[in-house]
Amino acid sequence: MLRYSKYHAMLKKVLFKFGVLLRNPSLENYLLFLKESDHWTEEKLVDYQINKCKEFLEFAYKYSPFYKEIFDKNGFKPAEFCDLKQLNRLPAISKEELIKYNQEIQSNYQFKKLFVASTSGTSGQLLRFLKNEEWDSHTRAAIFRGYTWYNVKPWDRNGYLWGYNIDPKAARKIKLLDWLQNRFRLYTYKSKEIENFARKLKGAKYLHGYSSVIYEVAKLVNKSGLKIPHNLKMIKGTSEKVYDSYQEEVKKAFGLKMLIEYGASESGLIGFECPQGSIHIAMENVIIEEEDGEILVTNLLSRSFPIIRYKLGDSIKLADSEFKCSCGRSHAVILDIHGRLGEKIIGKTREFPSVLLNIFFKGITKNHGILLNYQLRQNFKGLVDIDIEQEEHGNGPILEKELKNYFKDDIEFTIRYGQHLHKMDGKLKNFITTLKD
Ligand SMILES: [Zn+2]
């Protein structure tokens, strides 16, 4: 048995390395570089960023008709770039603009290898663009560097959770890809299957996927009293906000807290949480600015489709430059990702971005020690329904008082407790509105 599992592990490693060689030839060397720069001082990292950014901006000026025009219009000369602050002479760009000026942004440079990437916009429109091989590979390398912080190898056995039920026809192809990546997943969110999935975690090294789904599975594991003798080394939440209120159930079910991997297809990996709980920015790959509490990303890898001062749409808080993480890394830290600025909650006289809800409920936890999972719905101006997952437990008056302090009389709330929030049909939304701006 031991012999078999040893050979099996080796086979998975060989398969993984072979796959990488074919698909991402520049990954391996870049990962070696990242492991070295992991120990760099802040000064050295910033110097590296300035040089790399200058090269990147010069490239964009030469090959992207859109940016040539933008740079010229703003009198911006990439050859004179010598300080990261100079970036703010350029305008920020939104996803809608990336969609609108798609053709002009795309570089007219002959890359050896390109991948097609797509991601959906807020209005349901698709953003499609081409990703050069280095962009894709170097993003993956930065994620895998994060794995090394937890002693996890990318080819280690892993469980994967995402928010959709899978069509049986597509399942066969996914099963093959999963086998190649030593991965197993849930195909439907039925209690029996979730139990089987949880049992399989016994031999796995890590668990990853949509954070809300990891939370749902953790709850079921705890409720059913399943005792899994796991030796998971890492649980990684992606694609959605990781709420503090998830951590208790996740720890109880799997013995570890869920860490945050923060990024998007167009931005690449932005940050990865270290074992000391800081989200370190992958400074070798991206430059992060905070403008009015909103994140701006310059993706230094994005030569085929330059992403410069991109409004990803999240509200974040950066640590100040004195902040030192006890893990010893000098990479800048994101203190908090409040979440998507999102849609507007419409009050009687004012409007509120829905991200305020995350900040509001975090305050409830901080000031009163109450952890709540919530979902809000709005169909009428000034009226909002709140569904809370937890039972009331005498917390009702506190919540009502705080809502009144925060939103004054501008919104009337109707609160229901003990509600089931996740429909398992995609990402979990915390604000659903039928009102249009
Ligand atoms: Zn750290």
Side-chain angles (χ1 to χ4, degrees), residues 3-4 19 24 72 90 99 101 134 144 204-205 251 308 314 341 349 370 403:
R3 260 178 98 91
Y4 167 77
N24 297 99
D72 284 343
L90 291 169
I99 292 171
Y101 303 110
E134 291 83 1
F144 293 160
K205 286 273 160 50
K251 258 191 235 162
I308 300 170
D314 279 332
L341 282 160
T349 61
I370 303 169
L403 281 168

Side-chain angles (χ1 to χ4, degrees), residues 274 276 278 280 325-329:
C274 77
Q276 305 304 322
S278 300
H280 288 284
C325 179
S326 54
C327 79
R329 284 176 193 88

